[in-house]
Amino acid sequence: MEQSVGDPVPLAKFRSDISRQFQYYLDKATPHTSGRWAGTFALLLLYAIRVYFVQGFYIVTYGLGIYLLNLLIGFLSPMVDPEQETSDGPSLPMKGSDEFKPFIRRLPEFKFWYAITKALCIAFMMTFFSVFDVPVFWPILLCYWVVLFVLTMKRQILHMIKYKYVPFNIGKQKYGGKKGSASSSMSKD
């Protein structure tokens, strides 16, 4: 069976190979959280330097900022919103006597990082095409974004306080326990 010149099989194989290779490196990067985020912050710095020296693409940057704010809200929000949920599924404990249920994010950390990195790459590539350089007065966009950020974060923090959840896991929880017994056993040695 002969393949014609326009046969998509080699192209499909090439795309499959590239996709498999990309997924391999993504899987290798998964456990290296600090390295992934360091690379993303370096990409953000590179993007900021590019926008600063080009003196343009403020609409692209504003759109990127709005998208990153949306991702941040998803990252800080629980999967099941206690305000809207009345089912028998997992929910956040409301009283001290309630059963502990772990905080499950609406947007997991890896997907959060991946979406941010992908958005930064797309925005960076957009800065090479003049069609995206729409002339705007950037201080207005910046002020509007800051107001939007403050109001959104205020609402999110009030939601966290109201439903008593903390979306961050900072190490292993430490308990008070017996403090005097550890020091007295050391002094006896």
Side-chain angles (χ1 to χ4, degrees), residues 36-106:
R36 285 189 284 119
W37 282 104
T40 299
F41 284 120
L43 188 60
L44 180 65
L45 183 64
L46 185 67
Y47 176 78
I49 290 169
R50 169 90 177 136
V51 168
Y52 176 76
F53 282 118
V54 172
Q55 292 292 308
F57 298 99
Y58 302 121
I59 284 289
V60 173
T61 304
Y62 176 73
L64 176 65
I66 294 293
Y67 181 68
L68 295 182
L69 180 60
N70 184 31
L71 289 174
L72 181 64
I73 293 302
F75 181 70
L76 295 176
S77 299
M79 183 180 289
V80 179
D81 190 359
E83 227 166 49
Q84 300 170 353
E85 185 61 33
T86 59
S87 72
D88 297 330
S91 63
L92 295 170
M94 296 304 293
K95 299 176 270 184
S97 62
D98 284 352
E99 179 183 345
F100 171 75
K101 302 216 168 77
F103 180 79
I104 301 171
R105 299 178 190 284
R106 186 181 320 156

Side-chain angles (χ1 to χ4, degrees), residues 108-124:
E109 183 272 334
F110 184 79
K111 289 183 179 181
F112 179 56
W113 166 81
Y114 184 66
I116 287 176
T117 306
K118 192 165 51 169
L120 281 169
C121 289
I122 290 169
F124 187 75

Side-chain angles (χ1 to χ4, degrees), residues 115-135:
I116 287 176
T117 306
K118 192 165 51 169
L120 281 169
C121 289
I122 290 169
F124 187 75
M125 294 306 293
M126 289 172 78
T127 64
F128 290 100
F129 300 98
S130 62
V131 70
F132 298 114
D133 191 11
V134 179

